[in-house]
Amino acid sequence: MTILDPVGTPGTGRPGAAAGSLPEILRERGRTQPDDLAFCFLDGGEEPGRSLTFRGLDEAARSTAAGLRAAGVAAGRSALLVHPAGLDFVSSLMGCMYAGVAGAPVQVPTRLRGLERLRRIADDAQATVLLTVAAVRDELLAKFGDSPLLDGLTLLATDELPAADPGEWQDAAPLPEDIALLQYTSGSTGDPKGVMVSHANFLANAAETDDLWPTGRDGVYVSWLPHFHDMGMLFGVIVPIYTGAPSYLMSPEAFIRRPGRWTEAISRFGGTHSAAPSFAYELCVRDAREKGIAPGTDLSRWRVAANGAEPVRWSVIEEFTRTFAAAGFRPEAMCPGYGLAENTLKATGSPGDKAPAVRWVSADALRDDRVETVDPADPQALALVGSGVPVAGTRIRIVAPDTLRPVEEGRVGEIWISGPCVADGYFGRAVETAQTFAARIAGEDRTRTYLRTGDLGFVHDGELYVAGRLKDVIIRKGRNFYPQDIELTVERTTEGLHPNCSAAFSVDDGTSERLVVVVEADGRVLKSTGAEELSRRIEDAVHEGQRLHVDEVVVTRRGSLPKTSSGKVQRRLTRIRYLDGEFVPAGGGARTAGGAA
């Protein structure tokens, strides 16, 4: 089978299910459950700090909407949302939606490179207003006040806006087809582009998420993910408002400094739903091994541990499940999924009543776009984790990217998506929108269009398996090698290397394609192993695991690799910086063609 039809039908029993926009739902929450907790921010990732009820959030959003109107930002325009982790982002986001303004979330820049990205997004989104808080505004002006990159931008501090009269903002709710958000892609595969997410898209994705992973009356969300990332926004903000469940938020920095804060918060506040990329679960395992699990940690209520945004690793699922079983974590709670900003977020997910599926396939066959099941003990065995099923209106097809026809059973192809969650396209980019959002399958109904994801996968037993990314595939002698497989091999060569610490890519030296691996290592690894020895281990491991010769290994200091907001290494940008000579080898850590550089 190369078709995945949706399972089930959209839910209709949730309050506000007939609404056409999130502001309508928030207004209803403000009326029907005004004093219920909507959001609480955990100071330092631990202690409850500022909180908002649904009525408080509704009023704060109205204040922001009035402030936008006073600043001359009319409905139909856009504004940057440049907030640190906290509740001001939530009220600003909803305020933009109330005012009919398309918010564009951007990470707070701390360096010139970040400010340059902010400016590119502002220009692309045609935004002249930057919403933030007073502390960030003052910091930006202190650091970059003389920079032309801020020219023409009005910095509006939402925490200095006067409190609004609850009845002050009475404008009509936006239409379902209006743009609710410009979600700028992380840039892992090219220049960031603004995905136009409509109000209808948001509600459809929230509904599908709640259909697949029901929140229930006891639902509690916990999130440390960045608000400006699509997974952080949907799981931390949008779905909680849609379902009327409380959401406890913490900063990404608090989690990274001590991953145990995440599981402890889930235990303390009775978290039922929380999401993260695979690397976060791996960091929790490492933290637990080094420091132990906090006494009294109870994860028995955690029923949806969504795992996505990057390749889901079977070894991490096994280790996390085994490590936290004593704290009540159930195998069925681990819910791998697949999604992308162009589909608002979630496209498929593993139901919360079954353990994750894994299929051991031949890496050799996969390089020929074939799916061949092998014994896990086979030297060429590769564990691929099932990404679940679509629900409600989403439909998945597996298509040959060259012929645009569905692939045969047992073959790998490009993942195509149709359904109500597919966004309206890229803002101001008609050509790229047509190429990505208006694909048609050869020989089929020309009125049905699909989103081309650029990801490779196959369907087995009614479940989607993701095999790699089309544009990142490394081709050797007519065979496909997936960079994430090489990178996983690299990370396992030496104890102490962190998740997402390497990038594998090809470069053309004019005569042939060369395989380059850039890996970052911290001081402990460099001291205990040495850059030269680490390079040799990487060459040997990749040759043994993939039968590939690594032409060059560059070992650089931790923090050198460019990463997306969700922590994924940006391979293309890494390749560009490598070609520009920006990576400084650590301790002589560069080897070419198997010898010392």
Side-chain angles (χ1 to χ4, degrees):
M1 179 194 295
T2 61
I3 304 174
L4 265 185
D5 287 322
V7 176
T9 56
T12 57
R14 184 162 295 285
S21 68
L22 207 62
E24 290 180 77
I25 291 180
L26 178 55
R27 287 181 183 181
E28 182 178 350
R29 300 272 175 235
R31 290 192 299 267
T32 61
Q33 49 187 108
D35 299 322
D36 286 359
L37 177 66
F39 294 92
C40 177
F41 186 73
L42 304 179
D43 291 335
E46 298 175 7
E47 294 300 320
R50 183 187 170 198
S51 64
L52 280 173
T53 62
F54 282 106
R55 176 168 53 195
L57 176 58
D58 176 50
E59 293 176 354
R62 291 170 186 248
S63 293
T64 301
L68 283 166
R69 187 62 51 84
V73 185
R77 299 304 299 269
S78 58
L80 301 187
L81 302 178
V82 189
H83 293 75
L87 304 190
D88 288 288
F89 170 83
V90 181
S91 56
S92 290
L93 173 69
M94 294 309 302
C96 283
M97 290 189 186
Y98 273 42
V101 172
V106 183
Q107 185 174 9
V108 176
T110 57
R111 298 180 181 179
L112 182 60
R113 191 183 297 275
L115 184 64
E116 291 171 346
R117 184 176 190 276
L118 182 151
R119 185 72 215 199
R120 287 198 302 271
I121 291 176
D123 291 342
D124 188 82
Q126 300 176 16
T128 58
V129 171
L130 184 158
L131 297 182
T132 187
V133 294
V136 171
R137 176 201 61 195
D138 296 344
E139 184 177 347
L140 289 176
L141 292 175
K143 281 186 176 180
F144 310 113
D146 296 332
S147 173
L149 294 172
L150 290 179
D151 287 352
L153 291 178
T154 298
L155 277 59
L156 184 62
T158 56
D159 55 341
E160 291 184 345
L161 293 174
D165 184 323
E168 179 180 343
W169 185 264
Q170 295 292 346
D171 280 25
L175 299 174
E177 63 269 21
D178 289 344
I179 299 175
L181 187 84
L182 291 178
Q183 180 68 62
Y184 274 82
T185 58
S186 58
S188 59
T189 58
D191 290 334
K193 298 180 285 290
V195 178
M196 296 184 290
V197 181
S198 69
H199 289 278
N201 291 148
F202 264 142
L203 293 192
N205 207 263
E208 288 195 5
T209 300
D210 195 43
D211 285 340
L212 180 65
W213 299 316
T215 302
R217 294 184 179 277
D218 64 339
V220 175
Y221 285 77
V222 177
S223 179
W224 58 266
L225 295 169
H227 306 332
F228 49 82
H229 185 255
D230 51 6
M231 181 185 277
M233 181 178 300
L234 263 294
F235 267 89
V237 180
I238 303 300
V239 177
I241 292 176
Y242 177 82
T243 60
S247 179
Y248 292 86
L249 306 174
M250 71 174 73
S251 72
E253 293 77 17
F255 165 75
I256 294 298
R257 284 195 297 269
R258 192 170 71 81
R261 289 188 173 113
W262 182 29
T263 51
E264 289 165 22
I266 291 171
S267 172
R268 182 177 181 182
F269 301 105
T272 60
H273 292 62
S274 195
S278 184
F279 83 87
Y281 294 97
E282 186 172 354
L283 289 180
C284 285
V285 170
R286 291 190 181 189
D287 188 64
R289 286 175 178 171
E290 292 177 3
K291 304 171 185 175
I293 301 174
T297 298
D298 180 6
L299 303 180
S300 61
R301 292 192 62 199
W302 193 5
R303 57 178 178 262
V304 176
N307 189 336
E310 68 179 25
V312 180
R313 297 175 177 175
W314 180 244
S315 61
V316 174
I317 289 178
E318 287 187 306
E319 291 170 359
F320 186 90
T321 302
R322 184 168 52 249
T323 299
F324 289 94
F329 185 81
R330 299 174 300 106
E332 296 82 6
M334 183 62 70
C335 299
Y338 168 73
L340 64 166
E342 286 83 351
N343 192 60
T344 308
L345 181 63
K346 185 199 67 63
T348 66
S350 178
D353 59 356
K354 63 183 288 287
V358 60
R359 191 173 184 198
W360 296 87
V361 300
S362 165
D364 281 338
L366 204 61
R367 290 162 195 151
D368 294 326
D369 290 334
R370 293 184 295 108
V371 182
E372 179 182 311
T373 301
V374 297
D375 189 278
D378 189 302
Q380 287 298 309
L382 179 66
L384 294 182
V385 177
S387 293
V389 298
V391 295
T394 293
R395 193 172 192 235
I396 304 291
R397 299 295 300 270
I398 307 298
V399 180
D402 50 355
T403 66
L404 306 185
R405 296 184 180 277
V407 302
E408 299 174 356
E409 183 96 18
R411 305 290 299 191
V412 174
E414 185 181 5
I415 302 169
W416 287 23
I417 304 174
S418 68
C421 302
V422 175
D424 292 341
Y426 297 122
F427 183 77
R429 299 179 184 235
V431 174
E432 289 163 290
T433 293
Q435 292 172 342
T436 302
F437 291 85
R440 293 178 173 84
I441 294 177
E444 294 193 0
D445 182 1
R446 302 294 293 174
T447 63
R448 180 183 286 273
T449 59
Y450 290 84
L451 165 67
R452 295 191 64 167
T453 67
D455 291 317
L456 298 170
F458 61 91
V459 174
H460 177 72
D461 285 345
E463 188 158 352
L464 176 67
Y465 289 78
V466 181
R469 182 151 187 88
L470 182 64
K471 294 181 180 180
D472 285 340
V473 169
I474 296 167
I475 302 176
R476 285 291 184 277
K477 297 181 180 179
R479 309 188 74 190
N480 296 334
F481 294 85
Y482 301 107
Q484 61 264 35
D485 296 338
I486 298 171
E487 291 156 4
L488 179 58
T489 297
V490 169
E491 292 171 20
R492 290 176 171 173
T493 57
T494 301
E495 186 175 354
L497 290 179
H498 293 257
N500 292 316
C501 70
S502 64
F505 50 87
S506 288
V507 295
D508 191 336
D509 63 4
T511 59
S512 64
E513 288 282 326
R514 300 170 58 249
L515 173 60
V516 177
V517 173
V518 179
V519 57
E520 57 180 22
D522 60 26
R524 292 180 299 175
V525 173
L526 292 172
K527 183 177 180 180
S528 62
T529 305
E532 282 290 321
E533 176 60 23
L534 178 58
S535 297
R536 291 191 188 93
R537 291 183 185 181
I538 290 171
E539 292 169 5
D540 292 345
V542 173
H543 185 268
E544 180 178 350
Q546 282 80 28
R547 293 296 185 266
L548 271 175
H549 171 67
V550 179
D551 295 283
E552 182 175 2
V553 177
V554 177
V555 180
T556 188
R557 293 283 182 181
R558 180 154 171 77
S560 301
L561 288 178
K563 297 182 181 180
T564 69
S565 59
S566 61
K568 292 184 291 186
V569 172
Q570 296 173 295
R571 292 193 193 97
R572 290 192 176 187
L573 185 52
T574 300
R575 183 178 181 275
I576 291 172
R577 293 187 183 178
Y578 164 82
L579 293 173
D580 289 343
E582 293 188 23
F583 292 111
V584 178
R591 288 168 54 82
T592 305

